[in-house]
Amino acid sequence: MEAYDKLIRWAGDQGIEVRGIEPRRIPGRGIGIVASKNLKANERLIHVPTASLRTLTTVRREIRDALPSPAPNNKGTPVHALLAAELFLETRPLTNKYAPWHAVVPTREDIFSSLPLAWPSSDYEKLHSLLPLKARVHLTKQKVKFEKDWQLIHDALLPALGLTPGKGKYTKREFLYAWLLVNTRTFYHETSKTERLSKDDKMALQPVADLLNHSDEGCEVAFDPASFTISANRDYRQGEEVYICYGPHSSDFLMVEYGFCPDENSHDEVCIDEVVLEELTKAQRQRLEEKDYLGEYMIDERNPGGCYKTRVALMMKCVRMQEWERLVNNGEDGGEEVQKMVDAVMVRVLKKYLRRCKEAIGELEDFGGTTGEMVLRRWRQIERLVERSIEELGAGNR
Ligand SMILES: C[S@@+](CC[C@H](N)C(=O)[O-])C[C@H]1O[C@@H](n2cnc3c(N)ncnc32)[C@H](O)[C@@H]1O
């Protein structure tokens, strides 16, 4: 019997209902879920009783007892670390209760070859420095989180269980595999045990539903204390891939958090803080900070001239300070004449950013190999977006 069939049969034994869909290998996306018959909008596809989820409460007692309990305001051990510790310490993953799930989740090679946090140490610094700003900042934060979690496992959990860190399978790399499995496969889920905790701690692993890939728009995901339900958001033809939306994320976020960079992403945006801030004097930056307009300067397909904050910041280059204060306080944009000047500054800023894109592309091409391919693809997307933005602004098409 195929591993997927075993998984579905096992899921049935756990009370997980799977209807009208089946797992399938999808080129470039690992495993995904496809419609096994024509589906109607609102049809219930997956129904998971809460008891079948892997949550804080299903983590083995000896693991929970060895670590500080999760607590509000991100105090205590993160639920992420506990779930990862549970997977990390499973002694016989291929024969235990969750074996059918282990048989289909991505392998170490799949995870390590796609997620930036697992880039080999020889490439990490270089590739990290070549990431677009938002991805770079996010990866830095993710690394801090992971290192803190590993410290807990290394210093508290393994010694409490009489295990030696670094020996046998109790290595940092092996914990990273478990940590990234959790990172890429958990759903937001709140129970009475987690309601006081921060949003990041409200997570659960859901066998089967975790095979759904991401798209901008996807199936409805809902939960209540008893269960989790996923329903079709529209009609599907038999054989069509069925998605959920992991959230309205930019491609920089998806790349770091999930290890892929989609070709199309209606939620995508690019941060151009580096080049906007270079245009401004120290005093101007200080005033923007006081007004809460410092940083987060974004462009996207719909806003080639930049988001509202970008326009407000660049307007400082176009009008006197007193006039800028008046316009900002009244929520005015200064009219066509001022906006044309802002466009002109924006074109200059974007041209500077385009040079940065091209430099990054050149360095990534020289870097070669497969590790940097996703980042290279991302910069090429950004390059196209910036070129189109310059064209639109230059042609006065806004
Ligand atoms: C929740 S799992 C989905 C199932 C997964 N494809 C598998 O093989 O087990 C999330 C992972 O699936 C992959 N993925 C999800 N959506 C994708 C997409 N639109 N394009 C490429 N990969 C995707 C990424 O590797 C991501 O980390």
Side-chain angles (χ1 to χ4, degrees):
M1 200 194 297
E2 273 242 53
Y4 310 145
D5 299 328
K6 280 192 189 156
L7 176 76
I8 299 298
R9 182 173 291 189
W10 169 85
D13 295 342
Q14 314 297 311
I16 301 172
E17 226 180 80
V18 181
R19 278 204 233 141
I21 52 170
E22 61 191 12
R24 184 171 305 163
R25 191 151 282 284
I26 316 261
R29 297 201 277 278
I31 298 175
I33 295 275
V34 296
S36 57
K37 64 175 185 72
N38 291 338
L39 300 172
K40 286 266 166 241
N42 302 323
E43 241 183 278
R44 189 158 106 174
L45 307 178
I46 305 182
H47 184 75
V48 188
T50 302
S52 317
L53 301 175
R54 299 186 79 170
T55 62
L56 169 61
T57 27
T58 62
V59 172
R60 281 201 330 262
R61 205 56 279 148
E62 58 178 341
I63 296 178
R64 278 187 283 152
D65 286 350
L67 295 167
S69 299
N73 303 321
N74 291 318
K75 301 264 166 55
T77 308
V79 173
H80 188 155
L82 289 167
L83 289 170
E86 170 100 328
L87 299 183
F88 173 57
L89 293 175
E90 270 173 335
T91 41
R92 282 191 293 275
L94 298 179
T95 52
N96 73 9
K97 178 179 169 195
Y98 294 103
W101 178 77
H102 279 287
V104 301
V105 294
T107 61
R108 285 160 185 75
E109 203 201 331
D110 294 334
I111 290 282
F112 293 157
S113 62
S114 58
L115 282 138
L117 189 60
W119 280 335
S121 48
S122 51
D123 299 342
Y124 188 90
E125 293 275 310
K126 180 71 186 166
L127 287 176
H128 179 271
S129 72
L130 285 173
L131 280 170
L133 178 65
K134 280 281 168 181
R136 202 183 329 140
V137 170
H138 190 64
L139 181 57
T140 302
K141 282 192 195 145
Q142 197 187 49
K143 192 165 170 53
V144 169
K145 236 164 98 178
F146 169 72
E147 295 291 343
K148 254 172 106 176
D149 288 355
W150 169 244
Q151 211 60 49
L152 275 172
I153 305 302
H154 181 278
D155 295 352
L157 180 63
L158 292 176
L161 300 179
L163 301 167
T164 311
K167 206 167 160 199
K169 70 181 209 106
Y170 304 113
T171 61
K172 185 173 182 182
R173 195 79 179 153
E174 199 54 25
F175 180 66
L176 178 61
Y177 172 58
W179 198 90
L180 286 173
L181 274 184
V182 172
N183 201 60
T184 52
R185 313 187 78 75
T186 36
F187 283 70
Y188 180 84
H189 187 249
E190 189 181 287
T191 65
S192 56
K193 292 266 189 284
T194 59
E195 67 187 359
R196 290 169 41 254
L197 303 180
S198 67
K199 189 168 167 268
D200 287 352
D201 279 326
K202 292 173 180 167
M203 49 161 64
L205 277 165
Q206 290 207 54
V208 184
D210 65 353
L211 294 178
L212 285 156
N213 285 323
H214 163 88
S215 175
D216 295 3
E217 282 180 26
C219 291
E220 303 296 330
V221 181
F223 67 84
D224 60 30
S227 61
F228 225 105
T229 307
I230 295 177
S231 320
N233 56 318
R234 59 170 173 83
D235 292 355
Y236 284 86
R237 275 175 291 103
Q238 181 179 9
E240 231 187 305
E241 182 164 7
V242 174
Y243 298 96
I244 53 170
C245 177
Y246 297 173
H249 301 308
S250 73
S251 297
D252 286 329
F253 182 92
L254 291 171
M255 207 164 51
V256 173
E257 203 65 15
Y258 296 102
F260 71 93
C261 177
D263 291 336
E264 303 285 330
N265 180 359
S266 62
H267 305 296
D268 197 22
E269 56 181 5
V270 173
C271 180
I272 55 166
D273 279 8
E274 289 153 302
V275 277
V276 173
L277 291 172
E278 280 171 18
E279 287 288 316
L280 305 166
T281 64
K282 200 172 164 203
Q284 286 172 329
R285 288 201 294 261
Q286 196 174 332
R287 190 67 192 122
L288 285 166
E289 187 165 25
E290 285 156 4
K291 292 276 205 189
D292 221 7
Y293 286 127
L294 188 69
E296 297 290 303
Y297 304 129
M298 315 300 289
I299 54 165
D300 62 46
E301 289 287 351
R302 291 167 304 281
N303 295 295
C307 65
Y308 179 70
K309 272 178 123 181
T310 312
R311 311 286 299 174
V312 166
L314 293 183
M315 199 161 68
M316 271 186 164
K317 308 267 310 167
C318 306
V319 296
R320 285 175 193 278
M321 202 56 188
Q322 225 179 359
E323 176 64 352
W324 182 86
E325 297 279 353
R326 189 189 70 76
L327 291 173
V328 170
N329 288 341
N330 294 337
E332 292 173 21
D333 69 2
E336 202 176 321
E337 204 178 317
V338 171
Q339 287 305 303
K340 271 197 178 146
M341 286 194 267
V342 175
D343 279 352
V345 181
M346 186 63 177
V347 168
R348 196 176 67 233
V349 165
L350 287 176
K351 283 187 175 163
K352 205 191 243 186
Y353 194 62
L354 188 58
R355 285 197 290 279
R356 304 265 167 95
C357 291
K358 290 186 189 297
E359 275 164 27
I361 289 171
E363 286 198 48
L364 283 158
E365 281 170 346
D366 290 346
F367 189 79
T370 52
T371 331
E373 266 173 16
M374 179 173 64
V375 189
L376 180 56
R377 244 193 9 262
R378 175 65 179 145
W379 274 115
R380 289 201 172 120
Q381 284 178 353
I382 297 177
E383 181 186 37
R384 280 194 298 276
L385 170 68
V386 176
E387 278 171 349
R388 277 198 303 269
S389 302
I390 293 172
E391 236 177 78
E392 281 209 34
L393 291 177
N397 280 349
R398 288 182 341 97

